[in-house]
Amino acid sequence: MNIVVPFMFKYAVDGLNQMSGNMLNLDDASNTVATMATAVLIGYGVSRACASLFNELRNAVFGKVAQSSIRRIAKNVFLHLHNLDLGFHLSRQTGGLSKAIDRGTRGISFVLSALVFNLGPTLFEVVLVSGILYFKCGGQYALVTLGTLSAYAAFTVAVTQWRTRFRIEMNKADNEAGNAAIDSLLNYETVKYFNNEKYEAEKYDGYLKVYEAYSLKTTSTLAMLNFGQNVIFSVGLTGIMVLASQGIMSGNLTVGDLVMVNGLLFQLSLPLNFLGTVYRETRQALIDMNTLFLLLNTDTKIKDKDLAPPLMITPQDATIKFEDVYFEYQEGQKVLNGVSFEVPAGKKVALVGGSGSGKSTIVRLLFRFYEPQRGNIYIAGQNIREASLDSVRKALGVVPQDAVLFHNTIFYNLQYGNINASPEEVHHVAKLAGIHDAILRMPNGYNTQVGERGLKLSGGEKQRVAIARAILKKTPILLYDEATSSLDSITEENILSSMKEMVKDRTSIFIAHRLSTIVDADEIIVLNQGKVAERGSHYELLSNPNSMYSDLWNTQNSKILNSSGKPDEKSERLTRKEEERKKLQEEILNSVKGCGNCSC
């Protein structure tokens, strides 16, 4: 339809020119010519409208194709990222990952659009115009057209490649300025603490100066590119018009042919104006697409075996067994060095030890975030390597040490433990975790926004939300990684009382630094340098004054002198409790001594 437009214009001009020559002798023939000229002008208008219509229809049809492909690819990448192992996510940069997905999906859309609707049609139109000019006007016209377009394309590609480095530096400075601004605003309080507002503003302005310099270079070189393109096209257009005027004077062409030649070549300038942009953006889009596809090709180290069966488990057989497990995050740096222990179904077992002894690693291995280098882990008598990942993780509920919440309402974060739970169930677990009353005191109750990563809540409130949603998951096995470390003593005691009911019929593992939270554990396992150093109940371990557990207990319960040199109230209370515990232990030992029953 674009090609038809200049032809319709040519016929209209020729018709009107013929009619103007017959103005002195108006007859039926001249009336016919006038009617034909009018019809051709109407056809010219219709042709232009149809060309525009098909252009917009093309955009509308492709819009569905582009958006559908972007949605499917983005969803596949998102799902693939969630399926990658924890090692990948600990080493990634969230901002960079988000941009890779966004730029990659937009790159796919742009490349499809550029190839299908810009480069392809433009090449086809160039060939068509050159062919028409060759057969209708002669080889000289086709040669001028192809020469003009070749020079135009070569100049555009060369200058665009040269300009790209300015654009890269400009984008780099823009990113650095954005990062500096975000980092400074996120650390608003720190800036205020040290009176560094001017320093931050000057640092930000430094990046903006670099951005300004490269932005000016980008703008000035763009002006040069546009001017150069216009000069080349103007030279070509002038040349072909001179050829056409010579053809008119020799009687080989009409005035309408001059208009047609001008229209055909001029129409080509419109898509070619975008050639520099298309070339630069296509190069960038291909780089972004490659980044996205490399992301999709990243394979997870933790995956299901073919036809892996689901883990078959009930609360009655929810045993956990570690069998000679060796694990290291980095080669040569052992975290677990031959750990073996068993947690019977329905029992509460505690893991204690110094920082880096491997306590939290045990939780990660149970969830199969990592695989041990040697040894096996069993749940309900089944090797978790052989069971499907989804079924293993469904059997485990966890309260992490650092509870991170979604930027949503408290109700949403509580219900996340079981997205099908009713509001009544959500309120019930909130009461068990001791946060229900605190929520009701908030302005919007359960609809209160918690902020990004839950920053609007205190550490204790976040931890109670984490406890509640772990309960809501209703799993046969519960894992508590320092579940009460951010709570005050009174709240901790209330929650521990509630937990006794929660874990009564469930297998549970408590990782604890505060030993007072695990006194009632069926067994306490002391880890040291990646090995099981000691095991036994609280009183059994304390009966050996030289044990590591005794050292930990005595250190935590030792008297802390206040500034006046006297024991503070908390220390005295702990001391009294310890004396009462020792007295009770002696009474129990005396009551069973010499009874003659070995089973005692």
Side-chain angles (χ1 to χ4, degrees), residues 212-265:
E212 180 186 15
Y214 281 107
S215 180
L216 287 171
K217 285 183 180 179
T218 304
T219 305
S220 57
T221 53
L222 178 62
M224 188 191 82
L225 173 65
N226 290 337
F227 178 71
Q229 287 174 330
N230 281 321
V231 167
I232 291 169
F233 212 86
S234 297
V235 169
L237 196 62
T238 303
I240 208 164
M241 295 287 282
V242 168
L243 285 174
S245 63
Q246 289 174 351
I248 292 169
M249 285 187 287
S250 64
N252 296 324
L253 298 176
T254 65
V255 175
D257 288 322
L258 178 70
V259 173
M260 181 196 70
V261 167
N262 179 282
L264 285 172
L265 196 59

Side-chain angles (χ1 to χ4, degrees), residues 4-20 33-45 254-257 259-260:
V4 166
V5 172
F7 275 91
M8 300 302 287
F9 204 15
K10 163 193 157 51
Y11 296 140
V13 170
D14 283 343
L16 290 169
N17 191 42
Q18 185 180 349
M19 189 183 76
S20 65
V33 169
T35 305
M36 286 295 295
T38 303
V40 170
L41 283 172
I42 292 170
Y44 169 78
T254 65
V255 175
D257 288 322
V259 173
M260 181 196 70

Side-chain angles (χ1 to χ4, degrees), residues 77-142:
V77 173
F78 182 77
L79 192 59
H80 178 69
L81 288 173
H82 270 297
N83 288 331
L84 291 175
D85 56 90
L86 183 63
F88 170 84
H89 287 279
L90 290 178
S91 60
R92 67 172 165 77
Q93 283 187 309
T94 307
L97 204 61
S98 175
K99 285 187 176 181
I101 298 171
D102 183 43
R103 287 173 176 170
T105 50
R106 281 192 289 110
I108 291 167
S109 175
F110 183 84
V111 167
L112 284 172
S113 177
L115 293 176
V116 177
F117 297 143
N118 195 296
L119 191 60
T122 301
L123 288 173
F124 176 71
E125 195 170 352
V126 166
V127 171
L128 200 60
V129 167
S130 302
I132 288 168
L133 291 174
Y134 177 78
F135 285 108
K136 190 162 181 64
C137 304
Q140 289 176 307
Y141 293 84

Side-chain angles (χ1 to χ4, degrees), residues 112 148 188 215 269 362 364 371 379 558 573 590:
L112 284 172
T148 301
Y188 170 84
S215 180
S269 69
I362 286 173
R364 289 177 171 180
E371 300 278 24
I379 295 178
S558 61
R573 189 167 63 250
N590 289 331

